[in-house]
């Protein structure tokens, strides 16, 4: 996958504080609009395949159990796939499925030439070893880029799938016209899905960020984040990054998706990120909202991987 070298900038207007009328706030990076652009690009390529008489790319999504959050994420993936012309099915299994049965499902999908991409929605129930299931997916169908072979290829800078959330973050930065090369980039969080692979992507030759990865044991975190030109938060703690932890003009990418109680909502909760948006947006030059920032990009880049798997 190539990153776009001439970014189309999709930013909302810089706007004054709606309460005081002064204090210009950060520009919002509109992840929904940028992800919609990427889905259109994918659709164009899918249409070209169909015009050549090839079949549509096909994604199998495996969902185990009845966690409402996972079910909602998976619905979003199917809806986005349909927009691009990528066909997808939901293979739903009860939380009681055994690890062996699930490994059997994966083996059948691996062997089916009509299946281009396989996505197993995580987390899996406690009696199933997530890593064992990830290891069982054919690396050529691993559109999450979670398989150790694909993680190794990423580490070495070889061609292949890119992990969806980290690749989505890099695309958000590039398509917002943000210079990454040489920038002091601080990632808060060291997960296998976001923090670690994002550090590797940002370090690659051609992207060239200077990367610091922080985590729960990091000492003097605010001192480190105050040096950052770009901050990516991926720790799952609502409102963790506050205005006193950032310098003026920082670019902030918020990967957090935290449910907080909200009696005014029918659902009883609302989604917030890891960033204290009201405070930090007064100092940042650019910031992603939650929802509507990184989330739609993750799905778009996973679909990009599905198309690449079919090509
Ligand atoms: N659960 C939370 N994020 C993800 C993701 O990116 N892929 C999969 N498969 N499961 C997830």
């Amino acid at each position: 996958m190539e990153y776009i070298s001439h970014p189309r900038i999709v930013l909302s207007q810089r706007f004054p504080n709606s309460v005081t009328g002064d204090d210009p706030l950060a520009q919002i990076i509109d992840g929904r609009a940028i992800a919609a652009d990427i889905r259109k690009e994918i659709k164009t390529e899918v249409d070209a395949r169909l015009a050549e008489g090839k079949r549509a790319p096909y994604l199998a999504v495996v969902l185990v159990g009845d966690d409402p959050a996972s079910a909602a994420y998976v619905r979003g993936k199917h809806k986005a796939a349909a927009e691009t012309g990528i066909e997808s099915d939901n293979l739903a299994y009860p939380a009681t499925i055994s690890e062996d049965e699930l490994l059997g499902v994966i083996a059948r999908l691996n062997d089916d030439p009509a299946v281009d991409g396989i996505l197993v929605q995580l987390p899996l129930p406690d009696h199933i070893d997530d890593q064992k299931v990830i290891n069982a997916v054919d690396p050529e169908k691993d559109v999450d880029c979670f398989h150790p072979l694909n993680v190794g290829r990423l580490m070495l800078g070889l061609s292949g799938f890119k992990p969806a959330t980290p690749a989505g973050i890099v695309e958000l930065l590039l398509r917002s016209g943000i210079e990454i090369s040489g920038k002091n980039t601080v990632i808060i969080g060291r997960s296998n899905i976001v923090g670690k692979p994002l550090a590797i992507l940002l370090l690659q030759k051609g992207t060239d960020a200077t990367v610091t990865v922080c985590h729960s044991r990091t000492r003097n975190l605010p001192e480190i984040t105050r040096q950052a030109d770009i901050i990516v938060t991926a720790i799952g703690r609502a409102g963790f990054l506050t205005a006193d932890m950032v310098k003026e003009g920082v670019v902030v990418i918020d990967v957090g998706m935290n449910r907080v109680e909200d009696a005014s909502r029918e659902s009883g909760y609302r989604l917030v990120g890891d960033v204290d948006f009201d405070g930090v947006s007064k100092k940042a030059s650019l910031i992603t909202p939650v929802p509507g920032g990184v989330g739609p990009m993750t799905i778009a880049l996973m679909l990009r991987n599905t198309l690449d798997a079919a090509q």
Side-chain angles (χ1 to χ4, degrees), residues 70 73 77 119-123 144 146 164-165 193 298:
S70 285
Y73 291 139
K77 292 174 188 188
L119 184 151
V120 182
Q121 185 65 26
L122 301 178
D144 269 322
F146 288 170
T165 301
I193 296 186
T298 295

Side-chain angles (χ1 to χ4, degrees), residues 146-223:
F146 288 170
H147 190 284
L149 192 125
N150 289 326
V151 176
R153 293 187 65 87
L154 174 77
M155 181 84 185
L156 294 170
L158 302 175
S159 64
F161 295 128
K162 298 279 182 287
T165 301
I169 291 167
V170 174
E171 283 283 347
L172 270 186
L173 293 170
L174 293 177
R175 292 184 187 226
S176 300
I178 294 157
E179 172 83 41
I180 302 175
S181 178
K183 289 291 172 67
N184 234 346
T185 304
V186 172
I187 301 168
I188 310 177
R190 55 175 157 179
S191 70
N192 287 338
I193 296 186
V194 185
K196 279 196 254 178
L198 176 62
I200 301 300
L201 264 190
L202 288 169
L203 272 176
Q204 302 289 18
K205 271 203 184 300
T207 308
D208 301 323
T210 302
V211 181
T212 305
V213 184
C214 300
H215 48 81
S216 55
R217 298 295 172 95
T218 296
R219 297 194 187 154
N220 303 326
L221 180 68
E223 265 174 44

Side-chain angles (χ1 to χ4, degrees), residues 246-284:
V246 307
K247 71 175 179 188
E248 289 282 343
V250 66
V251 173
V252 178
I253 307 290
D254 189 351
V255 188
M257 291 265 237
N258 308 296
R259 285 182 173 204
V260 296
E261 278 183 29
D262 185 344
S264 72
R265 302 281 174 103
E266 200 178 313
S267 60
Y269 70 88
R270 73 193 145 88
L271 277 183
V272 300
D274 293 340
V275 176
D276 168 23
F277 187 88
D278 288 347
V280 172
S281 62
K282 292 193 178 92
K283 286 175 89 177

